[in-house]
Amino acid sequence: MNLLWAVSALLLSCWRANASTAPNIITEPSEVSNQTSAVLSCNLTESSLPIKGSHWIHNGKVIEKSKSGDTTPYTILRLDKITHNSGGKYECVFLTDPEVKQTIEVKTLPHVAAYKHSEHGNEKDIGAMVCVSHGYPLPTDWTWFKEEDGAQTPIINGTTDKYEIKSTPNKTTLTINDLSIENDIGDYICSGTNELGTTSDKIHLRVRSRLAALWPFLGIVAEVIILVTIIFIYEKRRKPDEITDGSAPLKSNSTENNKDKNVRQRNSN
Amino acid sequence: MSPAPAEEMGYKPLDGGWGWMVVVGAHISIGFAYSTPKVLSIFFKEIQENLGASSSEIAWISSIMLAAMYAGGPVSSLLVNRFGSRPIVILGGLMCGVSMVTASFGNSMVYLYLCIGVIGGCGLSLNLNASLTIISKYFLVKRPLANGLAMAGSPVFLCLLAPVNQYLLHKFGWRGSLLILGGLMLNCCVAGALMRPVIPPGKPFSSAPQKKVKEQPNKSNTKLKGRMQNAKKFLDLTFFKDRGFVIYLIGSVMFIFGAYGPIVFLSAYAIDQGVEEYSAAYLLTIMGFVDMFVRPATGLIASSKWIRPRIQYFFSFAMVFNGTCHLLCPLLNSYTFLVTYAVFFGVGFGMVFALIFECLMDLMGNERFPSAVGLVTIIECIPMLLGPPTAGLLVDIFGDYKYLFFMCGSVIVTGGLFLFVMNIYNYHMLEKEKPAKDREQNQKSIESQDQVSASEVEMKQTPEAAMERTEPEAKETDGAQRDPLPENAETPY
């Protein structure tokens, strides 16, 4: 009887020992959503393995400052100001053999920014507007709006040939075909939505007329023609003087003619 | 190509008066020629986005334009010899204008290569050659100054066109900008209109009755001259027999090889040294600004009576100065030092470019200059296209910019020293050959005064002898005698 009890106790302790070799990390909090600051903590329980240290990883990159040689099964990471850059997947890593880690997701609103806030397009040409997003999680939905008289009209992909929207989680492109000066000038809004909410940004589109450059061009051509004409006329007016300078007979002839003319005029008078 | 000596006597360059308007025209023409390939790069990014081209594809536009501009030299010198400068510059201006306007409607890279690269480049080569030639016809005593002022067009237009192009790009997009740039290049036609052809007295045009007796032989002269000019096409290679020309060619090839590398890589080097991007770009602006003033100043100095007879040595000094700047550049790393380097680089670069064509005019004389400059530009094409990539290769291999500066600096210094030593040798040899040539010349001038047409035929049969005859005339008046004013014209017309 005593032997049976001892064996069962031994088996029980073995089983319990087996059960307790699977370490468990308790994370606090399990997820951060839309907070301005947070303190992430990891508690390693039920592990008898020696702990050589711990550190944190953000989006696959080790955070150097978080490296610690403490053998305590408890580690914290302070996030004082959570921006879209600091969102992402945080992993606390305990340096045991083998390593154990647990993930805490820090979620923020998407950060949507336009590539360029002022875009140019040429009339009857193609105009493209791009918005990009950073943060975690990346937007799952992108929508474009056109601002008309204060109201936002959604632009829907595929209804007309005019608009084309191509979206990936971190980038969206609105392509407008056959730009027209009357209809397409204005503000366009791109907005990205993830599980926490929506943010948007505005782009102003300017359409240049095809003929806009024509007027300065014609002005310059006119200037060139006028200058060339002036130069040639000036030269023609000076040339006769240069030729008569060299030859005396011609000059005297011309003065004689003038005298004759004068005489004739007087006679006629 | 020398007409009868009697006609040679009658022409003395204006050295002023309308000549200064011609310098203005040459300034505009040369300005567009040198600065356009550089400022076009401002449009590249937008063209790249619009037409979907890669960076290397887009860079070909500038390369093709520069190559066409330099390679078109011999053709344009042929045309200038035949038609004179004015029609050629007007034609060049029209070609450039048309090239830019048609390019603004382009939709493919090949179309742009043809329009901007080939047609634009050919137009610019016509401009360049003809402008340099007309200066040599209008100026003799003040020619270095005129050359300096005309060559100053390059940095002036670079500084003008760069911000203008930026503004145009922002306001009108690349197509509109090319259209307007085409219009601006039509101003080369205005420059061409200013280049009134020089009609020396004694030509059939003048109506002086005394010359009627000579009209008959004059007409036969022009016919023979025409035939000789056609024959000249095949005689280009005789330039290589001219010692001075070969020396000049080697020196200028070495200069061009090393000259453009530092310009292309200066900003990259500065950024590498820790200077911020905006300040690094500013270095090139400083260099261009200094260049603008140094070129006319060098021309003025070179016109002075102390330097003029020794202008070839001044040229080699300028090259050595430029090369030394490059060699000293990698020594210190502060931004102030880089700014100082940019200033001295501008000085050296301006000095060399102000003198580069003046020295060729000095060596060749008026009549041979157009063909000589055509030959020089087509040969210079090779080092110009090879220089920057070789410099880039050095940077890639060694990972350090200083080897680039060492290479370019040493090549230029070697070129300068080569020119200096070889010019001493050349003038020495000319002094030795002079008495023999003088006797030959006297004999021949007596013969030709007797029978004008007979000597023309003689000359036609022995074109090489004729060229040798003009050679000592040119050399005489240049270096050996310290007299900047030649009595007989080394400048027939």
Side-chain angles (χ1 to χ4, degrees):
Chain A
M1 185 66 183
N2 277 345
L3 190 62
L4 200 64
W5 190 82
V7 167
S8 57
L10 191 65
L11 282 171
L12 195 67
S13 62
C14 280
W15 174 75
R16 280 190 70 186
N18 279 336
S20 67
T21 53
N24 192 22
I25 302 179
I26 299 173
T27 56
E28 178 70 41
S30 57
E31 195 184 87
V32 176
S33 283
N34 207 8
Q35 287 172 279
T36 44
S37 65
V39 176
L40 308 175
S41 67
C42 283
N43 201 353
L44 180 64
T45 57
E46 297 174 30
S47 172
S48 52
L49 296 169
I51 301 167
K52 292 180 214 128
S54 62
H55 61 255
W56 288 83
I57 293 179
H58 177 209
N59 286 337
K61 262 170 87 176
V62 177
I63 306 173
E64 295 292 320
K65 284 186 192 163
S66 68
K67 278 188 178 167
S68 136
D70 273 350
T71 53
T72 53
Y74 185 69
T75 179
I76 60 166
L77 182 72
R78 284 187 195 282
L79 298 173
D80 292 319
K81 196 174 161 201
I82 298 179
T83 61
H84 62 273
N85 284 328
S86 36
K89 286 189 178 163
Y90 285 87
E91 290 174 300
C92 58
V93 180
F94 287 100
L95 298 172
T96 52
D97 192 15
E99 274 183 7
V100 287
K101 50 182 152 180
Q102 190 66 276
T103 310
I104 304 176
E105 287 182 325
V106 176
K107 295 183 182 173
T108 58
L109 278 176
H111 178 253
V112 167
Y115 221 38
K116 276 191 272 180
H117 283 103
S118 176
E119 285 277 0
H120 298 270
N122 294 315
E123 203 186 358
K124 297 209 175 62
D125 223 347
I126 298 174
M129 287 176 279
V130 180
C131 278
V132 290
S133 169
H134 307 285
Y136 182 85
L138 287 172
T140 45
D141 268 313
W142 286 99
T143 19
W144 283 89
F145 297 94
K146 184 168 193 291
E147 203 169 274
E148 269 167 9
D149 307 320
Q152 297 186 359
T153 349
I155 300 170
I156 306 164
N157 201 8
T159 41
T160 51
D161 286 332
K162 199 159 162 75
Y163 297 110
E164 254 178 67
I165 301 177
K166 282 191 192 136
S167 305
T168 60
N170 65 346
K171 187 165 136 178
T172 180
T173 313
L174 171 66
T175 314
I176 309 179
N177 296 316
D178 197 23
L179 289 169
S180 90
I181 295 184
E182 304 96 54
N183 301 330
D184 293 325
I185 292 185
D187 290 323
Y188 290 79
I189 297 167
C190 60
S191 63
T193 313
N194 71 358
E195 59 186 71
L196 292 182
T198 309
T199 33
S200 52
D201 201 2
K202 199 192 286 195
I203 303 177
H204 182 72
L205 179 69
R206 293 216 316 249
V207 181
R208 298 183 196 116
S209 156
R210 265 254 149 119
L211 297 176
L214 195 61
W215 303 116
F217 172 71
L218 290 175
I220 295 174
V221 171
E223 166 249 325
V224 167
I225 295 177
I226 291 172
L227 281 176
V228 172
T229 319
I230 291 176
I231 292 171
F232 276 119
I233 291 179
Y234 177 70
E235 194 173 312
K236 283 275 159 26
R237 285 181 58 192
R238 277 193 49 144
K239 228 182 184 176
D241 293 339
E242 279 178 7
I243 292 177
T244 51
D245 271 346
S247 52
L250 273 176
K251 213 177 180 178
S252 52
N253 279 344
S254 63
T255 50
E256 271 177 38
N257 280 338
N258 282 340
K259 279 182 192 165
D260 287 344
K261 277 184 191 161
N262 286 339
V263 169
R264 276 187 229 123
Q265 277 182 343
R266 276 188 224 127
N267 282 343
S268 65
N269 281 345
Chain B
M1 158 74 222
S2 57
E7 285 179 290
E8 268 177 14
M9 296 289 212
Y11 175 64
K12 187 174 182 290
L14 210 52
D15 265 311
W18 187 253
W20 297 117
M21 294 305 287
V22 171
V23 169
V24 170
H27 182 100
I28 297 173
S29 181
I30 293 177
F32 274 118
Y34 278 113
S35 59
T36 308
K38 294 175 197 162
V39 295
L40 275 182
S41 56
I42 293 177
F43 299 146
F44 284 172
K45 191 149 182 276
E46 214 183 276
I47 300 179
Q48 230 182 310
E49 282 169 19
N50 211 305
L51 296 183
S54 70
S55 295
S56 59
E57 277 177 11
I58 223 107
W60 272 106
I61 296 181
S62 262
S63 305
I64 294 179
M65 194 176 206
L66 273 170
M69 185 171 111
Y70 273 71
V75 175
S76 67
S77 33
L78 204 69
L79 291 171
V80 167
N81 272 331
R82 183 105 166 59
F83 297 109
S85 288
R86 174 186 267 176
I88 299 303
V89 176
I90 294 181
L91 177 67
L94 279 172
M95 275 178 79
C96 290
V98 162
S99 80
M100 293 294 161
V101 168
T102 47
S104 73
F105 296 108
N107 278 315
S108 77
M109 288 312 290
V110 180
Y111 183 84
L112 285 181
Y113 293 154
L114 277 174
C115 287
I116 303 180
V118 177
I119 302 180
C122 289
L124 291 179
S125 87
L126 292 178
N127 276 356
L128 184 63
N129 204 320
S131 312
L132 292 168
T133 309
I134 194 104
I135 291 177
S136 68
K137 289 190 187 152
Y138 266 89
F139 286 89
L140 185 58
V141 179
K142 296 192 186 144
R143 198 176 58 199
L145 176 61
N147 261 315
L149 281 169
M151 293 294 282
S154 168
V156 163
F157 271 75
L158 191 61
C159 286
L160 276 177
L161 282 181
V164 163
N165 271 4
Q166 279 280 18
Y167 171 74
L168 287 177
L169 185 66
H170 180 73
K171 195 112 198 280
F172 299 108
W174 70 272
R175 289 181 198 273
S177 304
L178 278 178
L179 191 66
I180 295 179
L181 193 63
L184 286 174
M185 294 191 90
L186 284 178
N187 280 304
C188 287
C189 296
V190 176
L194 285 170
M195 295 178 184
R196 216 183 269 174
V198 176
I199 305 171
K203 292 307 292 174
F205 288 125
S206 76
S207 52
Q210 295 138 354
K211 299 267 173 102
K212 271 183 190 168
V213 179
K214 280 198 179 170
E215 258 184 40
Q216 278 275 323
N218 277 349
K219 279 185 186 157
S220 61
N221 277 355
T222 46
K223 273 190 205 160
L224 285 165
K225 270 177 223 160
R227 272 181 232 150
M228 268 196 67
Q229 275 173 348
N230 283 334
K232 265 259 176 163
K233 269 188 240 179
F234 306 101
L235 293 177
D236 269 348
L237 295 175
T238 57
F239 278 120
F240 288 107
K241 289 193 186 163
D242 188 334
R243 199 172 35 236
F245 178 78
V246 173
I247 295 169
Y248 171 85
L249 190 63
I250 296 177
S252 72
V253 158
M254 291 178 84
F255 173 72
I256 298 283
F257 185 75
Y260 289 105
I263 297 181
V264 171
F265 288 102
L266 184 60
S267 327
Y269 171 67
I271 294 175
D272 195 57
Q273 298 294 312
V275 177
E276 55 167 9
E277 228 179 277
Y278 183 69
S279 310
Y282 198 51
L283 286 173
L284 278 176
T285 319
I286 296 175
M287 194 208 116
F289 196 69
V290 169
D291 195 4
M292 216 190 296
F293 294 105
V294 165
R295 290 193 194 196
T298 312
L300 196 60
I301 296 173
S303 291
S304 70
K305 66 174 194 285
W306 301 284
I307 305 280
R308 185 72 194 278
R310 305 179 189 95
I311 203 168
Q312 305 289 339
Y313 301 125
F314 191 42
F315 181 51
S316 32
F317 163 74
M319 274 180 67
V320 169
F321 180 83
N322 202 351
T324 321
C325 273
H326 293 321
L327 287 174
L328 294 177
C329 177
L331 287 183
L332 285 178
N333 290 332
S334 68
Y335 183 62
T336 330
F337 186 75
L338 278 174
V339 169
T340 323
Y341 163 75
V343 168
F344 279 105
F345 184 14
V347 170
F349 197 76
M351 275 179 18
V352 175
F353 263 96
L355 295 171
I356 203 168
F357 289 116
E358 169 57 33
C359 286
L360 189 60
M361 282 184 205
D362 196 58
L363 279 172
M364 294 286 111
N366 262 8
E367 66 203 22
R368 293 193 301 163
F369 176 74
S371 324
V373 81
L375 197 58
V376 165
T377 50
I378 196 172
I379 293 176
E380 275 179 3
C381 203
I382 300 169
M384 195 194 57
L385 288 176
L386 286 180
T390 316
L393 195 66
L394 274 176
V395 175
D396 285 337
I397 294 177
F398 292 104
D400 195 347
Y401 284 95
K402 66 177 185 208
Y403 294 104
L404 181 166
F405 288 101
F406 288 150
M407 189 269 290
C408 294
S410 47
V411 168
I412 297 179
V413 167
T414 317
L417 290 174
F418 173 81
L419 276 181
F420 186 74
V421 167
M422 293 310 284
N423 270 318
I424 295 178
Y425 168 72
N426 189 29
Y427 285 142
H428 177 67
M429 295 299 286
L430 284 172
E431 287 270 0
K432 277 166 77 176
E433 289 163 12
K434 192 182 145 186
K437 293 284 180 185
D438 270 345
R439 268 180 264 128
E440 239 185 83
Q441 198 190 353
N442 283 337
Q443 266 187 341
K444 289 206 170 172
S445 61
I446 291 169
E447 278 175 32
S448 61
Q449 271 168 14
D450 290 339
Q451 290 173 17
V452 173
S453 42
S455 67
E456 287 295 308
V457 172
E458 204 181 338
M459 274 161 52
K460 185 195 168 191
Q461 284 169 354
T462 58
E464 283 191 19
M467 289 200 53
E468 274 180 4
R469 212 153 55 84
T470 56
E471 209 190 286
E473 284 171 35
K475 292 284 155 54
E476 253 180 61
T477 52
D478 295 343
Q481 309 188 5
R482 275 94 197 280
D483 188 11
L485 275 169
E487 293 103 58
N488 61 336
E490 60 152 330
T491 59
Y493 83 93

